[in-house]
Amino acid sequence: MKPTLAVFKFASCDGCQLSILDAEDHLLAIAAAVDIAEFPEATTRSEPGPYTVGLVEGSVTTPHDALRIREIRDQCQILVTIGACATSGGIQALRNAADVAEFAAQVYPNPEYLDVLATSTAISDHVQVDYALYGCPVSVDQLVDFITALLAGRRPSVPDYSVCIECKRRGSTCVLVAPGMPCLGPVTRAGCGAICPAFGRGCYGCFGPSSRPNVASLAVAWEAAGATREDLAEALRAFTVGAPEFMEAARAL
Amino acid sequence: MVIPRSLSTRVLEVEAIGRLIAALQEDGRTVIAPTLRDGAITLDVIDSFADLPVGLTAEMAPGRYQLVPDPEGRLFGATVGPASAKRWQRPPEVVVWSGRKDGGMVARVPDRSESQLAYVGLRGCDLAARRVLDRAVGARPSDAFIVAVECTRPGSTCFCVSMGTGPGVSEGADVVITEIVEPAHVLVTRALTPRGATLLARLGGAPPKGAEEDAAWAQVAAAARAMSGGIDPDAAAAALRMPSADGWDDVAARCLACGNCTMVCPTCFCTTTVDHTTPDGLEATRVRLWDSCFSLGFTELHGKPVRASIGSRYRQWMSHKLSWWWDQFGSSGCVGCGRCIVWCPVGIDIRQEAAAAVERVGVHAK
């Protein structure tokens, strides 16, 4: 029997699910190798569990979702979080350091109909997660490689090192050193292939913190590049603001 | 510093480099030379003379790199850029083997392609790095054709003199060029190998009249004198093998552990291996990628990192490079090119860190 694959959506923009569909060339081969039981962005089909692999997109922002993720965990042999929302709470975790009621009042005419939590949290804050794929959105190549690793029974390769490693492998010139442009690469986890520096832009930190990043020292390099510590704090308060390393570093700046 | 003069010394006009590039290409070689790429003068594949960064040089400082015009209009005005010959000698990503399951597994081991390359513009430090790297990974020297350039204007981050690798070149290349602008802008060129002499014979040029050759020697010697400081290799090697792990907090506070230093280092050779398979499970590919001892995951043994602190990782890198490398490979792992200093985003200077380590343990050269 083929392994079953289920994709679940929590608070998110669906971009990571779209990344799965972006796998184009590999999609048919993957669909042939697994039985896709649930995938809201692609199909209305919804088969009951249990599932071999569950890919979870999005963060937990409502009491209902906090319960739903527990049920999903029970149904999945291997639970994998995909993307910045699922791994760190996403851009919506900006509310964690603010008042969600105030936000809601500005957006909705009748905020009393909302039933939301005060925070947006990573899936791993609620249940045990077996693997995490980072990024906003996730890397298609990494996702395909991850699925094929599970199918082959080998250990998936998810880097913990900085974007700089991929940037240098690619042969890009360091934008932080020449010409001196703010870049989050030295504290950001690799996985994107260092796209932005390859096009002369600083890294935006989409993949969240690399392992034990030294943000305090990066602030010195940003100042040398003409940016302020507040600029760095603002840059960290983005897609992965909910990652403790970035949240705390931004607060300390 | 005594460098044997070659009998085949020729003085070439600057444009002869175009003919040199063409001659190497006629021999079936891909030419790698300094060229302007992404806002830096760095080694890459070039097509012709027009790709050389004529009249452009770079000012380098710890964590800073800036292109500036070279009023003297030299071809090889800039010393070393972010890329070294390591990019081709031990490429960042290599398929080690791949195979198909059906019909028996067929492994394809890629050839070492560097032998079809010609480098134009490698410096003394680069040549030393090629030897060090080959020894470290157990590779035989490749058949790449090498046209080296002697440095006459070292950067502020250069310290080849203290590591004994430059600025003059006496081995490791087929042809050596010294570009001078006085008394005239010419290339004083000599061959170190028979095939280098053959190449030079195809380019013409005149025997030196004396003044040019003297100017070349004088400028290289002046470059050597201009490079003060650097690293005391013996003292650093001795200090860094002291068992104390204290004293690394200062550099640890600055170090980003991003790995840039190891990526630009022309001798850092650490790699990781990743496997890829197709969804149908019939094809597998094993890829070798540049890795860095600065990443936490690299230090994992039995699932836990053995060098959890950034200070311990910096200490590991520097003590391997400057001390244990001698025991392992019979030389220093540092050639004094200064790339790690320039391309460290926070400008950590290995010269200063080595001096600090020497100071801490009170080891001084005799």
Side-chain angles (χ1 to χ4, degrees):
Chain A
M1 211 176 81
K2 287 198 286 190
T4 49
L5 177 78
V7 183
F8 302 101
K9 174 185 161 59
F10 285 73
S12 62
C13 74
D14 286 33
C16 291
Q17 289 191 70
L18 285 172
S19 291
I20 304 175
L21 295 174
D22 276 347
E24 294 177 355
D25 296 350
H26 303 283
L27 208 53
L28 289 177
I30 290 171
V34 300
D35 183 18
I36 298 176
E38 169 117 15
F39 187 176
E41 187 70 29
T43 172
T44 51
R45 184 181 176 216
S46 180
E47 299 293 324
Y51 315 104
T52 318
V53 182
L55 303 180
V56 181
E57 176 200 78
S59 67
V60 175
T61 57
T62 66
H64 169 249
D65 277 353
L67 291 174
R68 187 163 66 100
I69 189 59
R70 291 176 177 280
E71 289 160 13
I72 287 169
R73 169 73 271 190
D74 289 344
Q75 292 295 316
C76 295
Q77 196 183 320
I78 301 168
L79 191 76
V80 186
T81 48
I82 58 168
C85 299
T87 54
S88 69
I91 190 87
Q92 58 274 25
L94 280 170
R95 73 162 71 152
N96 297 4
D99 181 5
V100 69
E102 198 179 308
F103 283 165
Q106 291 195 19
V107 175
Y108 298 98
N110 297 99
E112 64 272 19
Y113 293 125
L114 297 177
D115 182 16
V116 296
L117 298 168
T119 56
S120 169
T121 44
I123 298 300
S124 61
D125 289 343
H126 299 266
V127 294
Q128 166 95 33
V129 171
D130 300 301
Y131 296 101
L133 297 179
Y134 302 86
C136 183
V138 284
S139 147
V140 179
D141 291 340
Q142 215 176 52
L143 190 64
V144 169
D145 206 56
F146 181 83
I147 293 170
T148 56
L150 289 185
L151 287 169
R154 65 183 160 80
R155 186 179 159 199
S157 165
V158 182
D160 76 325
Y161 46 71
S162 74
V163 168
C164 303
I165 303 288
E166 288 185 334
C167 196
K168 284 291 188 294
R169 282 182 193 149
R170 190 171 176 148
S172 301
T173 299
C174 179
V175 296
L176 195 47
V177 171
M181 183 187 287
C183 176
L184 286 177
V187 296
T188 300
R189 181 185 288 268
C192 63
I195 302 167
C196 291
F199 290 91
R201 299 290 297 267
C203 167
Y204 289 86
C206 306
F207 275 61
S210 55
S211 55
R212 307 191 195 176
N214 188 350
V215 179
S217 178
L218 184 67
V220 178
W222 273 50
E223 284 175 326
T228 64
R229 301 176 84 82
E230 187 50 39
D231 291 335
L232 176 56
E234 284 299 309
L236 293 170
R237 293 191 192 105
F239 320 103
T240 61
V241 61
E245 296 95 327
F246 278 3
M247 178 78 89
E248 282 156 29
R251 200 174 289 141
L253 282 169
Chain B
M1 183 167 50
V2 178
I3 298 173
R5 295 194 180 200
S6 164
L7 291 173
S8 64
T9 301
R10 287 285 179 278
V11 176
L12 302 175
E13 81 281 20
V14 170
E15 290 73 22
I17 285 291
R19 299 202 299 280
L20 181 143
I21 293 166
L24 291 166
Q25 288 167 334
E26 278 164 27
D27 293 346
R29 294 184 184 272
T30 299
V31 178
I32 312 281
T35 190
L36 183 62
R37 190 79 82 225
D38 287 353
I41 298 167
T42 193
L43 290 176
D44 210 340
V45 175
I46 66 159
D47 293 327
S48 68
F49 182 91
D51 293 329
L52 294 174
V54 180
L56 205 54
T57 185
E59 281 176 5
M60 292 178 252
R64 291 296 296 146
Y65 180 99
Q66 195 169 13
L67 290 173
V68 290
D70 176 20
E72 291 167 323
R74 287 171 298 166
L75 307 184
F76 302 104
T79 53
V80 294
S84 70
K86 182 173 83 170
R87 176 157 288 276
W88 296 271
Q89 190 181 1
R90 190 167 168 81
E93 183 169 349
V94 178
V95 174
V96 197
W97 60 259
S98 62
R100 273 195 69 85
K101 206 176 188 178
D102 50 351
M105 200 188 84
V106 181
R108 290 189 288 110
V109 180
D111 297 331
R112 186 171 175 181
S113 56
E114 206 197 8
S115 294
Q116 289 308 306
L117 297 183
Y119 294 99
V120 176
L122 296 191
R123 308 293 172 141
C125 56
D126 291 324
L127 302 177
R130 290 179 59 77
R131 291 191 290 273
V132 171
L133 181 55
D134 272 342
R135 217 157 34 223
V137 301
R140 293 156 63 95
S142 83
D143 199 32
F145 196 98
I146 296 176
V147 179
V149 171
E150 292 184 317
C151 292
T152 55
R153 284 176 179 73
S156 70
T157 49
C158 292
F159 58 105
C160 62
V161 170
S162 69
M163 305 314 287
T165 63
V169 172
S170 57
E171 60 173 331
D174 296 290
V175 170
V176 184
I177 293 173
T178 317
E179 182 178 21
I180 59 169
V181 291
E182 291 288 336
H185 189 178
V186 291
L187 308 172
V188 180
T189 308
R190 63 189 200 276
L192 298 184
T193 62
R195 65 178 187 176
T198 305
L199 181 82
L200 283 189
R202 287 159 72 184
L203 302 180
K209 290 194 284 282
E212 294 102 340
E213 207 177 10
D214 290 345
W217 289 115
Q219 290 196 20
V220 174
R225 285 196 302 275
M227 250 180 284
S228 58
I231 290 175
D232 179 339
D234 296 337
L240 289 165
R241 59 183 56 215
M242 293 295 172
S244 169
D246 297 334
W248 298 92
D249 293 347
D250 176 60
V251 70
R254 287 172 284 137
C255 178
L256 298 165
C258 59
N260 271 307
C261 49
T262 58
M263 295 285 114
V264 295
C265 176
T267 69
C268 271
F269 57 86
C270 285
T271 53
T272 185
T273 305
V274 294
D275 291 330
H276 301 289
T277 43
T278 51
D280 59 14
L282 293 179
E283 285 179 47
T285 310
R286 173 159 289 187
V287 179
R288 190 183 73 200
L289 296 164
W290 282 358
D291 203 348
S292 175
C293 54
F294 277 90
S295 73
L296 191 65
F298 185 85
T299 79
E300 277 185 7
L301 288 178
H302 47 76
K304 293 284 178 196
V306 294
R307 289 185 286 275
S309 72
I310 290 179
S312 67
R313 279 175 261 154
Y314 190 89
R315 179 191 184 217
Q316 148 72 22
W317 174 68
M318 194 166 80
S319 54
H320 184 213
K321 185 104 337 203
L322 297 178
S323 188
W324 302 112
W325 205 292
W326 286 96
D327 305 66
Q328 211 177 352
F329 306 120
S331 74
S332 170
C334 175
V335 295
C337 70
R339 284 184 178 89
C340 61
I341 304 170
V342 176
W343 299 99
C344 171
V346 291
I348 293 172
D349 190 330
I350 190 173
R351 295 171 297 187
Q352 288 175 8
E353 301 311 323
V358 168
E359 195 60 39
R360 274 200 299 277
V361 297
V363 176
H364 294 282
K366 293 160 283 294

